[in-house]
Amino acid sequence: NFAQKHLLPLAGNLVLDHEPIDFGGCNAFLTGNAELALDARLAGIRGIRLSQLTCDHALCASKEQWQWGLCKKYEPLETTTRLEADSINVFALANIMVSWDDSCSDGAGSFELQDVDLVFTVTGVTLRATSSMDITIDPLKVSSYALSALTLSYENVTEVRCNVNKEPAKRCLDLVSMWRTEEHKRMLQRVINSLLSSLNKAISKFLSGSLFVRAEGSARATVL
């Protein structure tokens, strides 16, 4: 319900400025921009799992907020967050220029792809991040939520479609097929980073409305 109402689909913009890629063993670069949409699935339906929210460090806002051995307001509360999905579908409408230097056998060159409709699926996705927030305990309110230090892992990239004017664009498909695993990962990381603002707002709203925690030691908490 959280994902359906507040989080998904995510939308954002990705700007590529001379992004290095491997292009058939040549030194190549991507320049351009893309409008992005990201959707996720859990057990066949739209959803994303907040599987971990661990408190790493907490600083009470002031002595006035400390009552009866409890702090009523933390500024900030630093956490580790983990989000999971069975699969993520990425949709992009992009304008891209691919250029390469004279490391290629035919010398330097370039080509452009305009109004490219790119779709692919990423399976077995886990996103880990450090995060911080200001939190008032009673009444519960979360503000200034911010993810950082994102780490992405996944199993595979499948179901790639790359069309121009609704027809398969061979150059685009060739380009995607030449990406190595690390380049896929780096580009996906860029995609996630471009959607951070939407993620921060959605998770903050979720935590403010439905966070219940069980203390585990002096500086840990687990979402029930």
Side-chain angles (χ1 to χ4, degrees), residues 1-195:
N1 282 340
F2 158 60
Q4 292 173 353
K5 292 179 181 178
H6 304 303
L7 180 57
L8 299 171
L10 290 171
N13 293 287
L14 176 64
V15 177
L16 301 170
D17 185 10
H18 214 57
E19 181 78 18
I21 61 168
D22 178 73
F23 188 58
C26 302
N27 297 322
F29 307 91
L30 284 179
T31 302
N33 60 80
E35 297 178 8
L36 298 168
L38 182 150
D39 211 349
R41 291 289 185 270
L42 279 172
I45 62 174
R46 175 179 284 174
I48 194 167
R49 181 184 301 112
L50 178 62
S51 60
Q52 180 185 8
L53 184 66
T54 303
C55 177
D56 300 321
H57 181 264
L59 181 65
C60 196
S62 66
K63 291 182 179 179
E64 289 73 22
Q65 297 292 340
W66 188 267
Q67 298 178 10
W68 307 107
L70 296 172
C71 183
K72 297 177 66 176
K73 186 176 183 179
Y74 293 96
E75 290 183 345
L77 182 73
E78 297 177 355
T79 66
T80 297
T81 301
R82 185 166 75 181
L83 302 171
E84 297 176 337
D86 293 338
S87 63
I88 288 179
N89 300 318
V90 179
F91 308 87
L93 181 62
N95 296 305
I96 299 170
M97 182 177 72
V98 184
S99 59
W100 55 92
D101 61 22
D102 55 10
S103 63
C104 294
S105 58
D106 294 333
S110 66
F111 65 83
E112 291 189 51
L113 294 168
Q114 297 292 322
D115 297 324
V116 176
D117 186 11
L118 175 63
V119 181
F120 58 90
T121 298
V122 188
T123 61
V125 181
T126 299
L127 179 67
R128 293 179 62 90
T130 57
S131 52
S132 66
M133 70 185 87
D134 296 341
I135 181 168
T136 301
I137 302 302
D138 187 18
L140 182 64
K141 181 181 179 181
V142 174
S143 60
S144 303
Y145 184 89
L147 289 167
S148 59
L150 290 151
T151 303
L152 176 72
S153 63
Y154 61 93
E155 294 176 358
N156 201 6
V157 177
T158 63
E159 301 176 11
V160 178
R161 300 195 304 276
C162 200
N163 297 336
V164 175
N165 296 325
K166 298 183 180 181
E167 295 293 330
K170 185 178 185 303
R171 273 190 159 177
C172 179
L173 291 170
D174 289 345
L175 174 65
V176 174
S177 70
M178 288 180 182
W179 290 358
R180 299 168 302 192
T181 300
E182 284 303 310
E183 284 172 330
H184 273 300
K185 189 173 183 178
R186 187 176 69 244
M187 293 300 293
L188 287 172
Q189 191 89 44
R190 291 286 303 276
V191 168
I192 295 296
N193 287 339
S194 72
L195 302 172

Side-chain angles (χ1 to χ4, degrees), residues 199-217:
L199 271 172
N200 288 337
K201 290 177 182 178
I203 295 175
S204 181
K205 186 173 183 179
F206 169 60
L207 295 178
S208 293
S210 59
L211 180 65
F212 299 91
V213 298
R214 177 180 71 245
E216 293 186 347

